[in-house]
Amino acid sequence: MATQAQQPPHLHLAEITAAQFIDIWKHFDADGNGFIEGKELENFFKELETARRGAGVDPTNAGFKEKMKEFMAKFDQNEDGRIEMSELAQLLPTEENFLLCFREFVGSSSEFMAAWRRYDTDRSGYIESNELKGFLSDLLKKANRNYDDKKLNEYTQTILRMFDLNGDGKLGLSEMARLLPVQENFLMKFE
């Protein structure tokens, strides 16, 4: 939970890593509910515009509100008036954005379930860290992305930090389902 004295992480979009993205997300999702909405969203967008333009931004300005509307139209895929992590992850540079890579690899709920069965090798009902690492390795190979063991470990830990909601070090089906595109995510309807 961010305090008033804490400075928000500065956004350099061209240089942002997935780990930095998590820190930024946690800063702006002040109530920890998994969404940036209301005042959190306004604060996020103000910081984003300041980073892009290199100067302070007045949230009461009509231009600010118009840009924020455009931003929401682009990133709020399910049009619920708030931003969830998977929607915002589109801001990450391509080499860091394995969420979009995942969506290219697993584009539907049926493909997701097939991938789930393939990578839950011990049939525990969870994707543990080692299984997740295998999944990410295959995903990166399929997307023709270069990586080394250090990067693969970093990606694995980042996915866990992003989606392991209960902090048990593994992903349950509902946690992993958050990676699916919103319109395909029938699993989220049952939460």
Side-chain angles (χ1 to χ4, degrees):
M1 194 88 63
T3 64
Q4 293 290 14
Q6 265 184 309
Q7 288 297 312
H10 193 68
L11 300 175
H12 295 285
L13 298 180
E15 304 166 7
I16 193 171
T17 66
Q20 290 167 326
F21 175 80
I22 299 296
D23 293 338
I24 291 166
W25 178 266
K26 287 182 177 178
H27 174 81
F28 288 102
D29 182 17
D31 61 7
N33 70 348
F35 299 97
I36 297 177
E37 56 194 340
K39 190 68 175 165
E40 295 170 340
L41 185 58
E42 188 176 297
N43 290 339
F44 169 78
F45 193 72
K46 181 179 175 188
E47 180 66 22
L48 181 64
E49 282 298 288
T50 299
R52 285 181 173 163
R53 298 187 325 157
V57 178
D58 178 11
T60 60
N61 181 314
F64 175 85
K65 297 218 182 288
E66 187 58 37
K67 284 229 180 247
M68 191 166 161
K69 229 187 247 182
E70 289 172 21
F71 174 85
M72 290 301 287
K74 182 174 181 180
F75 292 102
D76 184 16
Q77 295 172 343
N78 62 359
E79 300 175 354
D80 64 356
R82 56 190 187 176
I83 297 292
E84 52 194 83
M85 187 182 291
S86 59
E87 292 171 328
L88 193 61
Q90 297 173 62
L91 286 173
L92 289 172
T94 305
E95 67 274 5
E96 287 292 335
N97 196 340
F98 36 76
L99 293 179
L100 294 180
C101 190
F102 174 85
R103 288 180 177 179
E104 290 168 15
F105 182 59
V106 181
S108 71
S109 295
S110 59
E111 289 173 349
F112 171 81
M113 292 308 295
W116 178 269
R117 286 188 295 275
R118 180 173 174 201
Y119 291 98
D120 180 18
T121 55
D122 63 1
R123 301 293 181 249
S124 66
Y126 295 94
I127 302 289
E128 285 90 5
S129 179
N130 63 324
E131 293 167 332
L132 181 59
K133 193 181 288 187
F135 169 74
L136 291 173
S137 176
D138 289 350
L139 180 65
L140 292 165
K141 284 177 192 165
K142 186 170 181 145
N144 294 319
R145 303 265 172 90
N146 294 326
Y147 68 94
D148 56 19
D149 281 341
K150 183 180 177 197
K151 203 59 149 165
L152 184 60
N153 287 332
E154 181 185 316
Y155 286 166
T156 302
Q157 291 310 307
T158 299
I159 287 285
L160 285 172
R161 285 180 63 202
M162 290 171 86
F163 294 98
D164 181 14
L165 301 176
N166 63 6
D168 63 0
K170 55 191 175 187
L171 298 177
L173 188 60
S174 64
E175 291 170 325
M176 189 81 170
R178 292 184 170 289
L179 290 163
L180 278 171
V182 175
Q183 65 275 14
E184 274 293 332
N185 200 337
F186 77 93
L187 295 167
M188 298 305 289
K189 293 181 171 97
F190 299 108
E191 280 194 340

